[in-house]
Amino acid sequence: MYRFRFHGRGGQGIKTASRIFGTAAFLEGFYAQDFPMYGPERRGAPVAAYVRVSREPIVNRGYITHPDVVLVGDETLLFDPVADPLRGFSGGVLFVNTMTSPQIDISGELVTLDVTGLALEYIGRTSAISAGVGAIACKIAGFSKGTTMEAVERELEELGLSEELIDKNLRLAEESYRNVPSFDLDSLPSVRESDYIDTNVVHVKLDEGYVGVATIAKLGNTAVRRTGSWRILKPVVDLNKCTGCKICFAYCPDVSIYLGEDDKAYIDYDHCKGCLICSSVCPFKAITMVREVKTL
Amino acid sequence: MKSRKGMMLTGNATAAWGARVCDVDYIAAYPITPQSEIVELLSKWVTSGEMKAKFVEYESEHSMLAGAGAASLAGARAFTATSSQGLAYAFENLFAVSGWRAPMVMVNVSRGIGMPMTLQVDNTDVFSARDTGWIQLHAETCQEILDFIILAYRLGEDRRVLLPVIVNMDGFFLSFTREPVYIPSMEEVSEFLPPYEPPHGIAFSSEELAYAPTIILGHSYSYFKYQMHLSALKAKEVFYEIAREFGDLFGRYYGPIEKYMMDDADYAIVSMNSFTSIIKGAVHRLREEGYKVGVLKINMFRPFPNEEVAEALKGVKGVAVFDLNLSPGAGGIIYPELLRALYHVDERPKVVLDFVGGLGGKELTYGEIRFMVRKVAEALRDGGVSPYATLLFTEEDTRKMIADMEIAGKKWGGFR
Amino acid sequence: MSKFRSVKDIPDDEYVAPGSSLCAGCGSEIIARHMLKVLGKDTIFVNVPGCYAISTLFPFTAVKVPFVFAVFGSGAAVAQGIKDGLDILKEKRGINNERVNYKVVVYVGDGAAYDIGFQSTSAAIHRNLDFYFVCYDNEAYGNTGFQLSGATPYASRTSTSEPLGGSVGNVYRKKDIFEIWRAHRAPYIATISVSHITDMLNKFEKAKQFKGPKLFVALSICPTGWGASEEETVRIARLAVETGMWPLKEAVYGEVKHTFIPRRLKPVEEYLKTQRRFRHLFHPVRREEDIKKIQEEVESYWKRVWETELSK
Ligand SMILES: Cc1ncc(C[n+]2csc(CCOP(=O)(O)OP(=O)(O)O)c2C)c(N)n1
Ligand code: SF4
Ligand code: SF4
Ligand code: SF4
Ligand SMILES: [Mg+2]
C-alpha cells in the first residue's frame, strides 16, 4: 500500500488534488481511498487530505500518520507546527510547491515545482493549484498521463467548472505532470506493509476541581498563532505617503495594523492574513501589495 | 437529630419544597403535565416573597434548560422541572449544561414521550437522558423526592463532581399522590448544604474564562469527555460521604441502592421509582406462597452502582427486572445495565429475565408480579433463558383492548 | 452629539486578538472588534455555532472577555440565564464583585438570529432582558458551507439554492428582521455595516443608555460564501448602503430614523456584480426581470423613507 498525504491551505483545492489522485488510482486499477481532514477552519488555514492506494483491498481508514509520499501545496506550511507536514515522514518522496530550491534535511527524494506560478500563468489565480498538485501526485506514483488527465477532468466536472476553465486546468495539469519525475514506489525504503504503529496507553485519572472542565483561561491566546503565513500577497506601507489617518487600522479584520509613535501605519506581519482590505481603503494609496516571497 | 415537620404533600409540592429549603436562587420554568404544579407553587412563593429567588418562565424547555444552566454557570443555584416532551425538547441542552459542568438540579416527572402521546408514566423519557452527563437519582416516595433534591445539590456542587443532577419521580403515581413528608427548615438544610460558589463560575472563577470552546482534535475531546465520566463515577463515592452526613442530621439514610427483604432471598425483583412500592407490597404475599423473594431498588442510575448491585444479588438464584420503559428493538433499559454489573462476578445469579410493565401508567397487578417470579423459577428449573423482554399484559388488558378496537372501528379479535 | 466623529476617535483598546482562523477579510471580525471596543472589557460574550465560533477553538481563543458557548438556538436564553444569575447574586446574596455587573452580548450569525434562535431571541426581547444581541448577517449558513437561511436575499446563490436549470437561485425574500424586532417594541434596534465604522461605534455607544434589549443586525461581508475578493469587503459593504440595499437606521422604542439617507441611489447591479453569488443574474444572459425586481423593491423602500424622513 502507498500512503499519500497532501497538505495545503483552505481554498487551495487540496481536497480536489487528493481526489484527482484517488480517482486516477482507481482508473489505474488500484484499490483507492481518499479522505480530507477539514476542521471548521477557513480559507488560508492548514488543511490535509489522505489517499491510500493498494493492489490489495484496503482494510484501514482515517489519518495517515506515516506517509510514503507527502505533497505540500504551500511551502510556508513546511515548518508550520499546526500543519506539521513532515510528521511521520521517514524517507519516500516529498513534493513542495515552491519557486525557490529549499534546502531541507530529509531522508528521501525531494521534488519541487512552482505550481503557484503555473496557476497564475494558465488560470490567472494563484490559488488554483489543485489540478497541478493532483497531476504531480499521479506522476510520482507512475500513473499514465491518460488516466491522470481523465481524473482531472472528472473531478473538475464534478465541481461544476466551466469547460473553458477545465481546459485551462488540463493544461496546468499537463505542464505539472511533465515537469516532475516518476518513482518506482515499491523500491522506496519507506513503503512498509502497514500503518500500524506501536503506542503506550496511559491510565487516565480524574483531575479534581475544574482542571478537567473544558475552558480556556488564557484569553486572546490566538496571538501566538502566526496567521501571517496565510498571505499570498503582502501589504506594504509607503511611510512617505501615509498620513496616519487610521482608516486602514479601522478596517483591518485581524487587528494587524497599528499606528507607530510617528503616527504612521505599521503592519504586524506575524498575523496579517493578507486580505488587502487596508490597501483598498487607504485614501492616500499608501499601501501597495507585493507577492509574498516565502522564506522557509 | 433535628425537629421534623410532617405534612401531607403531593410529589409535585414536595419537589417545590425541595427547591425552597435548598434556598435556590433561580427557577426556570415551562408548563407541562404532570409537572406544572411544581413551578406554579414556586412562582407563588417567589411572588409573595415567601421565597427569595428569581423566577422566569421561558418560552420553551429548550431555552429553559439553557437559561437555568447558564444561571448555574454564572454562580446562582438553579432549579428547573420538566417531563417527557419537555425533556426531549430540551435534549440538546442537557449536553450543554453538563458540558459547562453547571451543577443545577432538574426534577423530571416521568411520562411517556409521544407519539402516541400520553400523560401517563413511562420512564423511557428520563432513561433517554442516560448518556448526557447528568447524574440521575430516582425517587420511590415523596420523602425521597425531597431528600434527593437536597442530596442532589450537595452532590452536584461538590468540587470533585461539578455535574448537574436529575431527580426523577413518576408522573401521577408520585406527582399527584399525597403522603406524609418531613420537611427540614432552611436553616437545617443550610447546615448540610453550604452556599454555592462554583470554582469555575462566571462570578467566582479566579481567572476570566472561555467556557466550552469547540474542540477539534480527538485527544482533547477524549480527555474532557472522560474527565466528565470520571467525575460522574466519583459522584458515587461522594454520595456515600454526604448521605451518611445527611442521615446523621435528618435521620434518613440512603445509598445508591436499597435492599428490601434481600437477606435470605432466592429471587429478586429489580425495580426503580414509584412502582417499587407496589412490588415491595407483593413480596410479602409471594413469600406466603413460598417464593423467597426480595426487592432490589436502584436509587442512583447515573453513576450506575455496579458493585452494589452485584453485591446485593450475590447468592440470589434468579432475578426479574421490572422495566417501566421500553427501548423498541432492544427491550427494557435497566436490564442491560444490570447485566453489565453482573457479568464480571463469579457468584452472579443464574437467571436474569426482563419484564416490561406499567407502561403508560398501566396497573401492575399481583398476578403480573407473581408471573415474573414464576418465570424466573421456571427458567431456573427448565433452562431456556431469553434475552428478550416480556410485556406484562393480562387477559383483562386484552379484553379491554378488544372493546376499544371495536369502538375504534378496527377489526381485531385478540391474540391468536 | 456623537461621541465618535471619525476613525481617529476609535478607542485603542482591543478585546479581540489576532491569529484566529476565520477567513481573511471576514466581515464578522470587523464587527466583533468594534463592538467590543465600545462595550469594553466588562462584557460577557455569548456565542453559538456559526463562523465566529472559529474564534474559539480549544486551546485557543481570540476573544479577550469571558466567552460562553451555547447551542445554536440558545444564545438569547443563555444570556437570560447569565444575566439573571448575576443579578440574583447581587440582589439576594449580596455579592458585589465587578463581574456581577458585566454586560452580556450575544454575538451570532443570521441562521441563529433569523431562524433557529429566533424563538429564544423573541422571548428574551419580550421579557425585556437587559442585553445586547448582535447578528453578523452574512445572509446564509456560512459555517456549514453557505446554505440558504431566512436572511438570504432574493436571487442569491447558496449551496441549497443553486441557479440551475433556469432557476434564479434563492426564490424567497429576505426576512425583515429589523421590522420583526421593532414589532416587539425593543428600546433600541439598529442596522450597521462594516463600511460605516463611526456609525457603528456611535450606535453601540448610544445603545448603552437603554435598559432592555439592544438589537443590532450588521451586514457582514463574507468573501468566501459570496464569491468576492477579500480586499473588496469594505467596498461591497459601502455599495450595499449606497445602492440602498442595506439601509442604515435605528429605532428607539419603535421610532425609526435613518442614520444615512442617500439622495440618489446607485443602481443595485453595481452591488450585485461584485459577488459571484449573483453572477447568474448577468451571465450567461442578463436576467433583466430579476434585476428589475430587486431594484424596484429598493426604490419603493426609499421612496417611503424620503417622503417621511426628508419632509420632517
Ligand atoms: C441544532 C443544530 N442544527 C444544526 C447545526 C449545524 N450548524 C452549525 S453552524 C451552522 C450555520 C450557522 O449559520 P449562521 O448562524 O448564519 O452563522 P454563520 O456560519 O453564517 O456565521 C449550522 C447549520 C447545529 N450546530 N445545531
Ligand atoms: S489608511 Fe493609508 S494613510 Fe491612512 S493610516 Fe493607513 S496607510 Fe496611512
Ligand atoms: S492585509 Fe491589511 S487589512 Fe488585511 S489583515 Fe493584513 S493588515 Fe489587516
Ligand atoms: S465563510 Fe464567510 S463568514 Fe465564515 S469566516 Fe469565511 S468569510 Fe467569514
Ligand atoms: Mg450566516
Side-chain angles (χ1 to χ4, degrees):
Chain A
M1 179 160 34
Y2 313 124
R3 291 147 298 177
F4 278 59
R5 196 167 72 201
F6 294 71
H7 293 268
R9 295 191 178 277
Q12 274 187 322
I14 281 304
K15 174 177 155 193
T16 305
S18 73
R19 288 191 159 187
I20 288 168
F21 180 59
T23 294
F26 171 70
L27 294 172
E28 288 267 337
F30 286 95
Y31 291 94
Q33 187 190 75
D34 58 51
F35 165 60
M37 171 64 188
Y38 36 50
E41 317 234 351
R42 288 294 174 267
R43 265 218 291 223
V47 293
Y50 313 92
V51 186
R52 289 187 171 84
V53 174
S54 174
R55 295 199 177 84
E56 309 293 325
I58 299 167
V59 281
N60 197 353
R61 58 181 73 255
Y63 315 130
I64 290 170
T65 47
H66 288 68
D68 306 306
V69 178
V70 171
L71 298 106
V72 182
D74 184 317
E75 66 204 300
T76 61
L77 285 174
L78 260 176
F79 301 109
D80 181 297
V82 179
D84 199 10
L86 297 179
R87 184 175 15 117
F89 178 78
S90 54
V93 184
L94 170 68
F95 167 77
V96 184
N97 169 21
T98 173
M99 59 200 288
T100 62
S101 329
Q103 296 298 310
I104 316 167
D105 189 18
I106 50 154
S107 56
E109 308 279 346
L110 175 67
V111 179
T112 64
L113 188 69
D114 181 15
V115 190
T116 306
L118 292 177
L120 197 61
E121 184 184 334
Y122 286 95
I123 302 169
R125 274 179 39 222
T126 52
S127 63
I129 61 168
S130 56
V133 175
I136 288 164
C138 294
K139 181 70 175 292
I140 288 172
F143 297 170
S144 80
K145 193 171 151 193
T147 47
T148 302
M149 294 306 138
E150 188 178 342
V152 170
E153 201 168 347
R154 277 199 194 187
E155 290 304 321
L156 298 184
E157 263 172 16
E158 180 124 326
L159 288 179
L161 261 58
S162 70
E163 233 168 82
E164 188 197 337
L165 206 50
I166 293 178
D167 277 347
K168 288 180 181 170
N169 272 286
L170 283 170
R171 261 179 290 149
L172 167 66
E174 229 177 289
E175 191 60 17
S176 306
Y177 187 92
R178 204 169 58 78
N179 277 299
V180 294
S182 223
F183 292 86
D184 173 14
L185 294 182
D186 290 318
S187 72
L188 293 175
S190 79
V191 177
R192 284 173 302 273
E193 270 313 297
S194 78
D195 293 306
Y196 298 107
I197 28 168
D198 203 9
T199 55
N200 295 315
V201 173
V202 301
H203 177 60
V204 177
K205 296 194 205 85
L206 173 64
D207 286 324
E208 289 182 9
Y210 63 102
V211 178
V213 175
T215 55
I216 299 168
K218 202 179 251 174
L219 304 183
N221 63 356
T222 48
V224 305
R225 300 180 39 152
R226 304 194 155 211
T227 41
S229 65
W230 292 24
R231 280 193 307 273
I232 291 161
L233 295 169
K234 173 180 179 175
V236 179
V237 181
D238 179 343
L239 295 179
N240 291 322
K241 286 190 185 165
C242 172
T243 66
C245 73
K246 248 181 148 178
I247 290 188
C248 54
F249 163 82
Y251 287 107
C252 174
D254 286 291
V255 205
S256 301
I257 301 185
Y258 56 98
L259 275 267
E261 282 181 3
D262 54 358
D263 241 355
K264 305 270 180 189
Y266 288 90
I267 290 171
D268 163 8
Y269 289 116
D270 282 346
H271 297 107
C272 159
K273 290 176 186 162
C275 69
L276 299 174
I277 287 178
C278 52
S279 157
S280 80
V281 296
C282 173
F284 304 97
K285 307 236 172 310
I287 307 181
T288 51
M289 41 182 142
V290 299
R291 179 159 172 208
E292 189 67 68
V293 182
K294 310 231 168 170
T295 46
L296 292 172
Chain B
M1 204 187 298
K2 295 285 146 82
S3 62
R4 287 177 293 171
K5 203 168 82 195
M7 266 203 263
M8 284 293 284
L9 286 178
T10 61
N12 279 343
T14 309
W17 272 104
R20 180 165 163 174
V21 297
C22 287
D23 195 19
V24 155
D25 300 312
Y26 191 60
I27 299 143
Y30 195 79
I32 183 167
T33 305
Q35 168 277 137
S36 307
E37 190 190 350
I38 303 176
V39 293
E40 282 168 5
L41 251 175
L42 288 167
S43 160
K44 276 185 202 128
W45 291 337
V46 171
T47 315
S48 68
E50 282 170 274
M51 188 177 168
K52 223 170 160 202
K54 187 167 170 85
F55 179 97
V56 176
E57 185 170 319
Y58 279 79
E59 86 295 342
S60 73
E61 291 89 349
H62 189 269
S63 291
M64 170 191 86
L65 191 56
S72 171
L73 186 64
R77 183 171 286 152
F79 177 84
T80 191
T82 191
S83 175
S84 77
Q85 313 294 134
L87 186 69
Y89 197 63
F91 204 75
E92 172 186 34
N93 271 317
L94 289 170
F95 290 86
V97 174
S98 62
W100 292 333
R101 307 295 294 270
M104 59 170 293
V105 171
M106 172 163 70
V107 166
N108 183 64
V109 183
S110 190
R111 157 184 160 186
I113 303 180
M115 304 294 169
M117 199 63 98
T118 177
L119 298 177
Q120 289 284 353
V121 63
D122 170 350
N123 294 150
T124 309
D125 64 347
V126 65
F127 287 145
S128 72
R130 185 184 72 168
D131 307 330
T132 59
W134 287 59
I135 288 163
Q136 289 197 9
L137 300 174
H138 290 246
E140 180 193 344
T141 65
C142 290
Q143 186 67 55
E144 284 183 3
I145 296 169
L146 186 99
D147 295 346
F148 286 179
I149 289 172
I150 300 169
L151 285 161
Y153 278 112
R154 173 76 187 270
L155 182 62
E157 291 171 7
D158 190 289
R159 291 181 180 211
R160 293 163 290 179
V161 179
L162 290 177
L163 284 172
V165 187
I166 290 177
V167 174
N168 188 69
M169 74 166 97
D170 285 343
F172 292 74
F173 288 78
L174 272 196
S175 68
F176 299 152
T177 303
R178 287 201 328 158
E179 56 193 25
V181 180
Y182 295 94
I183 302 170
S185 68
M186 246 164 85
E187 292 68 46
E188 287 167 333
V189 174
S190 72
E191 260 175 62
F192 173 73
L193 183 63
Y196 171 52
E197 281 180 15
H200 63 313
I202 297 174
F204 297 106
S205 64
S206 52
E207 295 151 303
E208 296 192 337
L209 299 171
Y211 298 90
T214 299
I215 300 181
I216 302 307
L217 296 174
H219 60 272
S220 342
Y221 181 81
S222 306
Y223 169 81
F224 287 118
K225 266 306 232 211
Y226 201 72
Q227 284 298 318
M228 200 191 279
H229 169 62
L230 292 175
S231 300
L233 291 182
K234 188 81 180 174
K236 194 176 79 180
E237 198 182 312
V238 175
F239 189 80
Y240 278 111
E241 267 173 50
I242 65 169
R244 199 176 315 118
E245 201 183 311
F246 182 93
D248 293 346
L249 272 171
F250 301 111
R252 293 181 296 277
Y253 292 86
Y254 296 101
I257 60 164
E258 180 195 313
K259 291 184 274 189
Y260 186 80
M261 303 189 75
M262 285 293 295
D263 285 348
D264 60 342
D266 289 333
Y267 309 104
I269 302 177
V270 175
S271 174
M272 293 177 66
N273 292 299
S274 69
F275 277 50
T276 313
S277 303
I278 305 172
I279 295 169
K280 282 177 178 171
V283 158
H284 295 273
R285 229 178 108 188
L286 283 165
R287 284 196 170 237
E288 281 166 26
E289 289 194 31
Y291 297 105
K292 267 209 228 158
V293 187
V295 179
L296 170 61
K297 181 175 70 138
I298 297 169
N299 291 331
M300 182 184 257
F301 190 66
R302 281 291 177 272
F304 194 80
N306 291 309
E307 291 85 356
E308 288 76 0
V309 162
E311 199 277 329
L313 296 175
K314 215 187 248 173
V316 171
K317 296 190 183 112
V319 175
V321 180
F322 175 70
D323 263 307
L324 206 166
N325 61 76
L326 183 62
S327 170
I333 295 167
I334 306 170
Y335 184 69
E337 299 269 345
L338 193 80
L339 297 185
R340 176 180 47 221
L342 294 176
Y343 188 81
H344 312 279
V345 196
D346 289 335
E347 295 165 79
R348 59 174 184 253
K350 254 200 138 80
V351 164
V352 185
L353 295 183
D354 193 15
F355 299 90
V356 169
L359 284 186
K362 195 179 86 63
E363 190 188 356
L364 178 64
T365 59
Y366 178 71
E368 289 168 49
I369 298 167
R370 186 176 52 200
F371 173 84
M372 291 194 276
V373 177
R374 274 194 186 152
K375 280 285 161 196
V376 170
E378 271 169 37
L380 276 168
R381 196 184 59 220
D382 309 334
V385 181
S386 153
Y388 293 103
T390 304
L391 181 69
L392 300 175
F393 199 80
T394 63
E395 283 173 3
E396 177 65 13
D397 293 326
T398 313
R399 273 195 295 280
K400 286 185 195 157
M401 199 60 210
I402 290 173
D404 282 354
M405 288 291 237
E406 199 172 311
I407 296 167
K410 300 186 64 170
K411 290 190 179 64
W412 186 64
F415 304 102
R416 261 158 292 204
Chain C
M1 190 58 206
S2 305
K3 180 167 173 188
F4 305 101
R5 274 153 302 153
S6 81
V7 292
K8 290 261 185 199
D9 299 331
I10 295 177
D12 283 332
D13 301 329
E14 300 283 356
Y15 298 104
V16 179
S20 77
S21 294
L22 281 102
C23 300
C26 176
S28 76
E29 291 189 290
I30 303 179
I31 300 154
R33 183 178 163 221
H34 291 294
M35 171 182 88
L36 288 178
K37 275 174 179 287
V38 181
L39 297 188
K41 80 166 281 293
D42 51 341
T43 303
I44 295 162
F45 191 103
V46 178
N47 183 228
V48 306
C51 279
Y52 202 75
I54 296 166
S55 68
T56 305
L57 303 177
F58 186 83
F60 295 108
T61 179
V63 180
K64 295 192 196 170
V65 296
F67 174 100
V68 180
F69 199 51
V71 302
F72 200 9
S74 288
V78 165
Q80 177 93 43
I82 292 172
K83 190 75 190 151
D84 291 346
L86 296 178
D87 282 351
I88 195 80
L89 285 179
K90 243 185 317 192
E91 290 160 23
K92 174 179 162 187
R93 287 171 50 189
I95 290 166
N96 213 345
N97 59 28
E98 57 167 1
R99 295 224 200 111
V100 293
N101 294 307
Y102 276 19
K103 314 174 191 70
V104 181
V105 62
V106 178
Y107 191 63
V108 298
D110 49 289
Y114 288 65
D115 294 345
I116 197 166
F118 176 71
Q119 169 178 310
S120 68
T121 309
S122 168
I125 305 170
H126 173 234
R127 289 184 299 259
N128 205 35
L129 178 67
D130 188 24
F131 79 133
Y132 297 79
F133 184 93
V134 181
C135 167
Y136 63 94
D137 184 356
N138 63 1
E139 307 196 313
Y141 290 106
N143 192 45
T144 36
F146 209 71
Q147 296 84 6
L148 159 74
S149 83
T152 305
Y154 178 73
S156 169
R157 175 242 161 234
T158 70
S159 49
T160 48
S161 65
E162 296 278 5
L164 300 171
S167 149
V168 68
N170 176 32
V171 296
Y172 311 119
R173 282 172 63 192
K174 185 181 173 82
K175 274 195 206 175
D176 190 345
I177 199 77
F178 181 89
E179 283 300 309
I180 297 169
W181 284 343
R182 199 163 75 88
H184 290 69
R185 297 261 173 255
Y188 190 75
I189 310 172
T191 64
I192 51 184
S193 161
V194 292
S195 52
H196 290 62
I197 301 285
T198 50
D199 179 74
M200 179 186 322
L201 294 168
N202 283 317
K203 284 171 174 169
F204 282 123
E205 184 65 31
K206 182 169 183 179
K208 283 182 181 171
Q209 66 185 276
F210 300 99
K211 208 168 150 49
K214 295 160 276 277
L215 315 167
F216 293 82
V217 55
L219 182 66
S220 186
I221 311 306
C222 167
T224 307
W226 293 13
S229 148
E230 291 135 3
E231 63 187 283
E232 297 263 34
T233 289
V234 174
R235 190 174 80 90
I236 293 172
R238 178 159 288 124
L239 276 171
V241 174
E242 291 174 352
T243 56
M245 297 272 297
W246 190 265
L248 292 177
K249 55 186 169 180
E250 61 186 9
V252 175
Y253 290 108
E255 194 75 32
V256 183
K257 198 179 122 255
H258 285 73
T259 54
F260 173 81
I261 304 185
R263 299 281 154 157
R264 226 180 320 115
L265 301 173
K266 288 190 174 166
V268 292
E269 61 182 275
E270 279 188 35
Y271 170 72
L272 302 174
K273 276 181 170 163
T274 58
Q275 305 152 49
R276 265 202 313 282
R277 64 175 173 154
F278 294 118
R279 194 183 138 86
H280 55 283
L281 293 179
F282 306 98
H283 297 275
V285 287
R286 196 179 155 89
R287 296 180 69 121
E288 199 59 53
E289 278 303 301
D290 294 311
I291 299 167
K292 210 170 125 207
K293 188 170 157 174
I294 298 168
Q295 184 69 50
E296 281 174 359
E297 183 150 341
V298 170
E299 278 169 13
S300 85
Y301 176 90
W302 283 100
K303 229 167 120 195
R304 259 177 295 136
V305 177
W306 287 324
E307 276 163 17
T308 50
E309 288 189 40
L310 282 188
S311 61
K312 271 186 198 160

